Amino acid sequence: MSSSADDFKTGFRRHAAGVAIVATSTPEGLVGTTLSSVASVSADPAVLSFSMARTSGTAATIVEAERVSVFTLASTHEGLAAAFAGPPEGRFTDEQGWTVDADGTPTLAGATAAFHGRVAQVIPAGGSWLVVVEVDDVRLGDEDDPLVYHDRAYWALGRIRSHVA
Amino acid sequence: MSSSADDFKTGFRRHAAGVAIVATSTPEGLVGTTLSSVASVSADPAVLSFSMARTSGTAATIVEAERVSVFTLASTHEGLAAAFAGPPEGRFTDEQGWTVDADGTPTLAGATAAFHGRVAQVIPAGGSWLVVVEVDDVRLGDEDDPLVYHDRAYWALGRIRSHVA
């Protein structure tokens, strides 16, 4: 790794990110992973993006999927986030609250929101894929504080600094 | 606006995001804006992404720029973040700590990190541009807590929930 890659990683450790899980149905069952790169791109039409390292087997499945689902996590979900960043056997366990609709759409009980849509673009960028999803189905869960990723740890929100006009 | 756009916005209000400023030098001076969509895409090679609404005049300048700079903000920077989300006259004021190197690279005193690089890809997505930046110069500032954007407000981090293995 180049020294500039080290500095890049150190720099981004100072940034904060929301935490989500992306999932898709396959003939072999659900596949998914934790993401700290989910961002709203456009509200109307509804588009979101995320990125995944191309070395990841889960990423290879997600970018080939026709439809994917993105679940935003609450501040109490640090165990779920860690499970979906760990070995495959810790993902989609019975106690995590996953169900699958008749059409294959996954649902995560407790997610603050679920965004379902079509993989519209997969853009190679550095060692990763940047994935653009056209969202056609949003399901709101219970409102809850968000989980935050920062400096290799999961955090809850603290004090409000200011409201945006 | 469609009801799905309303649900999309409500859903993303439940997500958290880090806060950064993107800036570029033009013959008329510095141009920049606050972003809550900055994400690390790849560390080696170093690539980041962000998105901007296509209706924004600042966005039109940024996507035409050869080089841009992204500054990650500390939790005490909510005033700076608000200024760069507001009218142009509040941006790049003397007291905000901006300087420009001889080669046109902007610097923001107090940014926790600065990422300078080349606009490599501009991808239309919904009503926005998704911008991919190949980063070739990272300058680390003083370490500090990050500023977080969530539910139309700026926040500081709270309690740590768990460290990532």
Side-chain angles (χ1 to χ4, degrees):
Chain A
M1 179 158 306
S2 66
S3 68
S4 70
D6 280 341
D7 283 350
F8 181 87
K9 291 170 91 168
T10 302
F12 262 103
R13 276 188 209 118
R14 299 177 180 187
H15 199 54
V19 185
I21 290 175
V22 61
T24 194
S25 284
T26 78
E28 290 72 43
L30 292 173
V31 170
T33 190
T34 299
L35 297 176
S36 61
S37 57
V38 171
S40 166
V41 172
S42 167
D44 197 6
V47 178
L48 63 78
S49 69
F50 58 82
S51 65
M52 313 178 81
R54 270 186 272 176
T55 49
S56 144
T58 303
T61 302
I62 295 288
V63 300
E64 292 295 326
E66 192 183 329
R67 291 184 64 77
V68 297
S69 300
V70 172
F71 303 93
T72 51
L73 300 190
S75 62
T76 51
H77 283 153
E78 78 277 6
L80 193 60
F84 276 78
E89 56 269 26
R91 308 181 191 184
F92 303 108
T93 63
D94 287 346
E95 61 270 24
Q96 287 167 350
W98 294 95
T99 51
V100 181
D101 291 0
D103 67 358
T105 303
T107 298
L108 170 61
T112 53
F115 302 88
H116 308 285
R118 190 176 72 82
V119 176
Q121 297 188 69
V122 177
I123 301 138
S128 295
W129 281 303
L130 187 56
V131 181
V132 176
V133 178
E134 292 177 355
V135 174
D136 50 39
D137 180 9
V138 178
R139 303 183 198 174
L140 299 173
D142 290 337
E143 207 169 344
D144 204 345
D145 290 337
L147 187 62
V148 183
Y149 182 69
H150 166 68
D151 194 19
R152 290 175 291 188
Y154 297 112
W155 303 73
L157 281 184
R159 288 174 303 122
I160 202 160
R161 301 277 316 175
S162 67
H163 289 276
V164 173
Chain B
M1 178 160 303
S2 66
S3 68
S4 71
D6 280 340
D7 283 349
F8 181 88
K9 291 168 92 167
T10 302
F12 262 102
R13 274 186 211 120
R14 299 177 180 187
H15 199 52
V19 185
I21 290 175
V22 61
T24 194
S25 285
T26 78
E28 290 73 44
L30 292 172
V31 170
T33 190
T34 298
L35 297 175
S36 61
S37 57
V38 171
S40 166
V41 172
S42 167
D44 197 7
V47 177
L48 63 77
S49 69
F50 58 82
S51 64
M52 312 178 82
R54 270 186 272 176
T55 48
S56 144
T58 303
T61 303
I62 295 287
V63 301
E64 292 295 326
E66 192 182 331
R67 293 184 64 76
V68 296
S69 300
V70 172
F71 303 94
T72 50
L73 300 190
S75 63
T76 51
H77 283 153
E78 77 277 6
L80 193 59
F84 276 78
E89 56 269 25
R91 308 181 190 185
F92 303 107
T93 63
D94 288 346
E95 62 270 24
Q96 287 168 350
W98 294 95
T99 52
V100 181
D101 291 359
D103 67 358
T105 302
T107 298
L108 170 60
T112 54
F115 302 89
H116 308 284
R118 191 176 71 82
V119 177
Q121 297 187 69
V122 176
I123 300 136
S128 295
W129 281 303
L130 187 55
V131 181
V132 176
V133 178
E134 292 177 356
V135 174
D136 50 39
D137 180 10
V138 178
R139 302 182 198 175
L140 299 173
D142 290 337
E143 207 169 344
D144 205 345
D145 291 338
L147 187 62
V148 183
Y149 182 70
H150 166 67
D151 194 17
R152 290 175 290 188
Y154 296 113
W155 303 72
L157 280 184
R159 288 174 304 121
I160 201 160
R161 301 278 317 176
S162 67
H163 290 276
V164 174

